[in-house]
Amino acid sequence: MKHKAKSFIAVLLALCLMMSLGVGALADNGDQGGGGQDGGNTPGGDYSGGGDDSGTEDGGDENPDEGEPDPDGGDGDPAPLADETYTVDFGYVPGIIIPNITYAVEGGEGGKVTNHASIPSGATITVNVSAASGYRVGNITYKLGEGTETTIQNGNTFKLTANAIIMMHNVQLYDITCQQAANGSVTSSATEAAEGDTVTITATPAQGYEFGTLTVTANGSPVDTTSAGDNKHTFTMPASDVTVSATFKLIEQTEPDTHTVSTSGTNANITLTTGDGYYKVGDQVTFTVAPHSGYRISRVYATGATLADKGNGSYSFTMPNNNVVIYAEATAITPPADYHRISTYSNDAYGWVSVDETAKAGSTVYFRIAHTYSAYNYDYKVYVTNDRTGATVKYDYDSYYDRYSFTMPDDDVTISVYFDRVGRYSITKDVEGDGSIYVRSSADHGDTVWIEAAPSAGQSLTSLRVFYGEPWAYGDK
């Protein structure tokens, strides 16, 4: 059929050429344009011919087949060669969602790759695969021609240099169920996993409880677990769903050993400033020692404990694993002739007067005022009184030596100091959570300070603490 069509086209082209070149000449020669076997029956110029009206060898196919290109290009030149292409085939197993594989041609367009697609040579193939619920993507491999198989990851690419086969694999996932536990909680690092995966279980006991047992089962059979510390355990996922459960047990409460602290003072008062006489091992115990009137402390010691002298009659020790007895010894003050006793008083446990215990009548007595926390701003008032008459004894202050002095009367005296914090102190603020605190940045001692706490929307105030002093203390408001 193709050969007949080609012959017909050739004849038709020849006739057209002849007609364009010689039809005028033929017309000038009269009846030479007549044709056919019967001659003269057709007017001049009608070159339709007669007799055989098929014009073809088979007498019926007058039209050439459409869509069949001339291998010679219609003009005798060789047809251009098409770009070289390769096929791409891929396979996948149940559980893999239809893959999204695309290609891109350098300097040209790209598109989506379907199974057995014909793709230009050298195109960049991009492989993306996703798994259905209950699965995850395993290996993705491709093979070019007779080459070796190569493994790639999602989103990776390769160049098409031969026919390609892309194979996608899936991995089945199995459920991990953590049962609710009493007196604690059980959580898993994953809700599903594949066979061979390492799964971490965290068993957290509630307050007052400790971890008991952990059970992992698959189809009613136990699965081995390994302790990983910090309330964590691991196991290897089998090829089936697993159930995790745990137990917690109450921590046995044991009362730590307690011991007593007793005192024995000779002409001295021993006062415990912490606790009530019963202490646990490791507790910090503090106490003060004050001599009776007319005595002075000569020795302070304890059985079974090492004392730390904090000054101004204050002592401390760490409670050992035994009972402790504190002893204080005082001796009478027997001043020589014309010597009298000097007593001191402070309204602050951390402040005191530094002075000799006795002085001769008429001599100059020097004393200083001291306080443990020198970083604070303190003001104080000093009084020197005659113990017998109650009269005020005049004193002087030497700013150069930072000391006080007075002339000793022919009587015992008492030096009293009354401390009071003064000066302006800074106020800092810190907010935990969403909210704001409004408060002035500084205040004088004794001032009333107002604090406004404003939680953000949806928040509430849980606590407000004011820290002060050094070491820091705080008060809940």
Side-chain angles (χ1 to χ4, degrees), residues 331-347:
T331 57
I333 299 175
T334 55
D338 299 330
Y339 274 75
H340 300 278
R341 186 174 66 250
I342 302 174
S343 301
T344 61
Y345 167 80
S346 171
N347 70 328

Side-chain angles (χ1 to χ4, degrees), residues 14-40:
L15 287 174
C16 291
L17 180 60
M18 292 174 61
M19 290 177 67
S20 63
L21 295 175
V23 63
L26 290 174
D28 291 339
N29 292 328
D31 293 338
Q32 294 183 10
Q37 295 181 357
D38 56 356

Side-chain angles (χ1 to χ4, degrees), residues 48-340:
S48 62
D52 185 0
D53 61 358
S54 64
T56 64
E57 294 182 1
D58 57 8
D61 190 358
E62 296 183 3
N63 297 318
D65 292 341
E66 295 181 0
E68 295 290 343
D70 187 342
D72 295 332
D75 58 2
D77 295 331
L81 295 176
D83 290 339
E84 189 174 12
T85 61
Y86 295 113
T87 59
V88 177
D89 293 283
F90 54 82
Y92 56 95
V93 296
I96 293 292
I97 297 175
I98 295 177
N100 178 25
I101 301 177
T102 58
Y103 76 94
V105 179
E106 292 184 7
E109 299 181 353
K112 185 176 178 62
V113 178
T114 58
N115 198 24
H116 205 66
S118 181
I119 306 299
S121 170
T124 299
I125 306 295
T126 303
V127 181
N128 287 283
V129 181
S130 57
S133 177
Y135 296 86
R136 76 177 178 217
V137 177
N139 289 334
I140 304 173
T141 61
Y142 73 90
K143 184 177 180 182
L144 296 174
E146 298 300 322
T148 59
E149 192 173 77
T150 303
T151 300
I152 60 176
Q153 302 295 324
N154 260 352
N156 284 177
T157 64
F158 65 89
K159 291 284 189 179
L160 189 62
T161 59
N163 292 336
I165 298 177
I166 305 173
M167 179 62 70
M168 287 135 296
H169 308 271
N170 69 14
V171 177
Q172 185 172 358
L173 301 177
Y174 301 95
D175 292 335
I176 302 171
T177 303
C178 292
Q179 294 182 337
Q180 184 65 32
N183 305 315
S185 63
V186 182
T187 58
S188 172
S189 60
T191 57
E192 56 183 11
E195 180 183 7
D197 286 354
T198 298
V199 181
T200 301
I201 301 297
T202 302
T204 306
Q207 183 70 28
Y209 289 82
E210 60 185 354
F211 173 74
T213 61
L214 178 70
T215 303
V216 180
T217 58
N219 294 325
S221 300
V223 177
D224 292 338
T225 62
T226 302
S227 175
D230 195 23
N231 298 326
K232 297 183 184 298
H233 297 75
T234 61
F235 69 89
T236 301
M237 190 71 183
S240 63
D241 296 341
V242 300
T243 301
V244 181
S245 61
T247 63
F248 301 92
K249 57 185 180 180
L250 184 68
I251 298 176
E252 295 183 4
Q253 301 294 331
T254 58
E255 287 294 333
D257 292 337
T258 58
H259 300 280
T260 62
V261 174
S262 56
T263 61
S264 178
T266 303
N267 296 316
N269 292 328
I270 303 174
T271 305
L272 295 173
T273 55
T274 59
D276 55 2
Y278 296 89
Y279 301 90
K280 300 174 185 177
V281 176
D283 284 350
Q284 290 297 308
V285 182
T286 61
F287 63 94
T288 59
V289 177
H292 293 170
S293 178
Y295 291 84
R296 64 180 179 182
I297 301 298
S298 57
R299 184 187 181 198
V300 179
Y301 63 99
T303 58
T306 301
L307 303 181
D309 188 350
K310 299 172 65 177
N312 199 31
S314 180
Y315 299 83
S316 68
F317 65 92
T318 300
M319 191 66 193
N321 191 22
N322 53 258
N323 295 333
V324 175
V325 180
I326 301 171
Y327 295 92
E329 298 177 354
T331 57
I333 299 175
T334 55
D338 299 330
Y339 274 75
H340 300 278

